[in-house]
Amino acid sequence: MYNPNMLKTFLDCPKKYYLKYVRQIQAPVKSEPFEKGKKIHALANYYLKGCDITKFEKVLNPDETSVWNLLKNNEYFNKTYINSEYNLSCKIDNYWIGGRLDALVKDENRYYILDYKTGSIPQNPEFDVQTMIYLLCADKFFDADLTFIYIDLKNNKNYRIDLTDEMRAKYTDEILKIITTVEKSNFPKKSACKFCEYKKVC
Ligand code: SF4
């Protein structure tokens, strides 16, 4: 099954995709830059599932507390909860695609896929592989209008993408195009790669 990280890795560098997903070599990565995001995602999941998180909230540092408060007060985060850390997959053509949604919520008009970002949102959010894969998968499961929301916690903004018939067709074509390229690839190296965790084994 192809998930967003796999396709993003391939688009970043086919050789890296080969090392990581074909050879299955795990390169060590520094965890510090991801700590805040991990904490906020875990907290959000417990909170949405109705757990008592007061003890966890007390151990957040001031920066984490302010990011968490932004998320807790976000208009989309406060819509009706359906599920969180939610695995979805579907088949397009002969290929399985899927991933784990941060949260799925709804109101009387539509369903919303939420993705919280403590760092930057994608440069081209409408055609980011994560946006496309999540919307296509949710579209197979739910008979409802669908919207993807990037909750940009760095800038306290929401970025909204509504799934239309035109977008659905474009997303299907685009994802199939990338997967077909992966399947036919001989995994060439990227030319400029100063900061790659696979440099030593590449
Ligand atoms: S070192 Fe460069 S070519 Fe090798 S996997 Fe990393 S990004 Fe790709």
Side-chain angles (χ1 to χ4, degrees), residues 41-190:
H41 279 76
L43 211 52
N45 186 36
Y46 289 131
Y47 178 82
L48 288 173
K49 286 188 187 316
C51 303
D52 180 1
I53 56 157
T54 40
K55 279 185 188 162
F56 297 111
E57 284 180 311
K58 281 181 190 153
V59 297
L60 296 177
N61 68 33
D63 177 41
E64 290 162 350
T65 300
S66 110
V67 171
W68 171 234
N69 285 333
L70 286 180
L71 182 58
K72 236 179 10 176
N73 293 314
N74 182 280
E75 60 171 306
Y76 292 102
F77 193 69
N78 282 287
K79 290 191 184 289
T80 305
Y81 173 72
I82 300 172
N83 210 332
S84 52
E85 297 298 331
Y86 186 25
N87 287 309
L88 272 184
S89 58
C90 73
K91 208 171 179 188
I92 54 166
D93 205 353
N94 287 322
Y95 305 107
W96 282 96
I97 56 171
R100 186 181 295 170
L101 283 51
D102 286 348
L104 185 68
V105 297
K106 68 175 181 178
D107 61 18
E108 60 281 5
N109 300 315
R110 53 181 51 238
Y111 282 29
Y112 302 85
I113 296 167
L114 306 186
D115 196 79
Y116 333 127
K117 293 286 186 212
T118 51
S120 307
I121 71 164
Q123 282 186 340
N124 184 8
E126 274 85 0
F127 287 93
D128 187 82
V129 286
Q130 179 175 261
T131 312
M132 295 191 281
I133 286 180
Y134 288 5
L135 278 170
L136 287 173
C137 288
D139 187 49
K140 296 270 185 193
F141 277 87
F142 301 105
D143 185 19
D145 288 333
L146 280 170
T147 291
F148 193 112
I149 304 286
Y150 282 104
I151 300 183
D152 175 355
L153 295 165
K154 202 167 155 190
N155 301 299
N156 194 21
K157 284 183 181 162
N158 299 315
Y159 194 98
R160 174 178 178 140
I161 302 154
D162 293 331
L163 183 67
T164 60
D165 290 342
E166 187 193 355
M167 293 298 255
R168 184 185 297 106
K170 278 187 185 171
Y171 286 174
T172 305
D173 287 350
E174 188 59 31
I175 290 295
L176 280 176
K177 197 168 86 189
I178 300 170
I179 293 176
T180 309
T181 313
V182 175
E183 297 264 324
K184 289 182 182 160
S185 178
N186 58 1
F187 307 111
K189 286 187 179 188
K190 190 174 127 178

Side-chain angles (χ1 to χ4, degrees), residues 10-26:
F10 181 82
L11 294 173
D12 183 31
C13 172
K15 181 72 186 280
K16 193 194 274 195
Y17 175 93
Y18 171 76
L19 294 168
K20 192 168 179 181
Y21 296 109
V22 181
R23 297 278 312 279
Q24 302 202 330
I25 297 171
Q26 296 298 324

Side-chain angles (χ1 to χ4, degrees), residues 13 15-16 19 189-193 196-199 202:
C13 172
K15 181 72 186 280
K16 193 194 274 195
L19 294 168
K189 286 187 179 188
K190 190 174 127 178
S191 52
C193 39
C196 176
E197 65 273 28
Y198 284 89
K199 209 167 180 178
C202 180

